[in-house]
Amino acid sequence: MRFDIISVLPELLESPLNHSIMKRAKDKGLLEVHLHHLRDYATGKHKQVDDYQFGGGAGMVMKPEPIAACLDKLLSERHYDEVIYTTPDGERLEQQRCNRLSMKENVIILCGHYKGIDERIREKYITLEISIGDYVLSGGELAAAVLVDSIGRLIPGVLNDETSALFDSFQDDLLAPPVYTRPAEWEGMKVPDVLLSGHEKMIDEWRHDQSMERTKARRPDLWEKFEKGS
Ligand code: ADE
């Protein structure tokens, strides 16, 4: 899968996407991430990428021309399945969306900044607007990193144990159950006996029960969804 990320601060994306699972995915040739500096597409002496907003008001708006120049170049080079814009007023990112996006081949992510991008770019190019939560970040780069990480890990072959993503929290509208490792007793606290029993069916049942309990207690919204679906 290929991501092209357009940003005024591509440096912000270098570290999160070059370690651990994302690095392994790239080394294995399963994931490509290309960063594009928006300023490289700006013209004029000052390579300006933002301007005052019409109608007045605090905060700058990202100018349409450099964004369009970068998008036109990319779109002329290959077919893209989605052109995503990261913005707090987008659709809230959820696991099902990540699952679907992990089946795409080429995706562009445009990172918002300042007050956002000129609305006409949204109308002309953007196919999907994504928010990673109801809070405002200083820019869309961290949201883009969240997108690439949450989608990239789902590409077949990226995770060592292929089944493990299937049991992540949210995959079946339930939170993940508690996990333990050695020692079996630590500071007087014991690992639940069932996990030491070697009895696979009982362990699966215990985990499912725990997932349901956790979801019910912590995320009534998800619990309602789970109950409707099952
Ligand atoms: N840019 C600023 N805040 C954001 C958010 N919550 N999600 C996506 N992009 C953003």
Side-chain angles (χ1 to χ4, degrees):
M1 181 171 185
R2 172 182 172 125
F3 285 97
D4 286 89
I5 307 181
I6 306 169
S7 161
V8 287
L9 265 176
E11 302 86 347
L12 264 180
L13 285 156
E14 271 156 23
S15 178
L17 300 179
N18 280 316
H19 295 281
S20 179
I21 291 169
M22 291 304 106
K23 179 171 187 310
R24 185 154 24 100
K26 285 187 189 170
D27 292 346
K28 281 185 178 173
L30 299 169
L31 176 69
E32 277 180 47
V33 181
H34 299 264
L35 302 178
H36 305 274
H37 202 315
L38 192 60
R39 213 166 288 279
D40 293 342
Y41 295 85
T43 51
K45 202 166 88 192
H46 300 294
K47 301 258 175 202
Q48 195 180 341
V49 292
D50 60 344
D51 210 337
Y52 295 100
Q53 53 177 314
F54 279 121
M60 305 293 271
V61 174
M62 287 168 78
K63 286 167 68 61
E65 305 94 320
I67 300 175
C70 183
L71 286 172
D72 285 340
K73 177 173 179 287
L74 290 173
L75 293 168
S76 73
E77 289 169 352
R78 66 193 62 73
H79 169 75
Y80 284 92
D81 303 293
E82 298 283 3
V83 182
I84 301 176
Y85 171 49
T86 54
T87 174
D89 62 2
E91 175 191 314
R92 183 113 55 96
L93 184 64
E94 291 191 345
Q95 190 66 41
Q96 311 311 330
R97 173 66 76 183
C98 299
N99 293 346
R100 270 182 276 142
L101 286 171
S102 73
M103 287 175 238
K104 307 287 185 194
E105 227 169 287
N106 300 315
V107 169
I108 293 175
I109 305 177
L110 171 62
C111 302
H113 247 272
Y114 318 114
K115 272 278 164 203
I117 60 174
D118 188 288
E119 187 67 20
R120 292 164 291 185
I121 290 289
R122 294 170 84 151
E123 281 169 23
K124 179 165 179 197
Y125 295 98
I126 303 300
T127 60
L128 183 59
E129 302 187 327
I130 293 284
S131 160
I132 61 162
D134 289 345
Y135 42 80
V136 179
L137 301 163
S138 330
E141 285 73 17
L142 296 180
V146 166
L147 269 171
V148 175
D149 189 294
S150 58
I151 296 165
R153 64 194 292 284
L154 299 172
I155 300 169
V158 168
L159 294 181
N160 274 342
D161 176 357
E162 274 241 27
T163 60
S164 72
L166 293 177
F167 298 107
D168 283 344
S169 279
F170 311 114
Q171 282 295 9
D172 49 7
D173 291 327
L174 289 176
L175 299 181
V179 291
Y180 298 86
T181 184
R182 284 184 289 187
E185 184 173 343
W186 174 75
E187 300 209 343
M189 291 183 274
K190 288 186 178 156
V191 171
D193 286 338
V194 61
L195 295 179
L196 311 176
S197 69
H199 197 305
E200 226 175 285
K201 189 162 172 282
M202 270 166 53
I203 293 173
D204 283 349
E205 276 171 15
W206 180 86
R207 286 184 170 148
H208 191 62
D209 287 347
Q210 290 286 320
S211 281
M212 292 199 293
E213 287 309 314
R214 271 203 169 178
T215 310
K216 225 187 284 184
R218 298 178 184 188
R219 290 289 303 272
D221 57 320
L222 270 187
W223 178 248
E224 204 179 306
K225 218 164 136 195
F226 172 77
E227 280 206 306
K228 271 192 198 140
S230 60

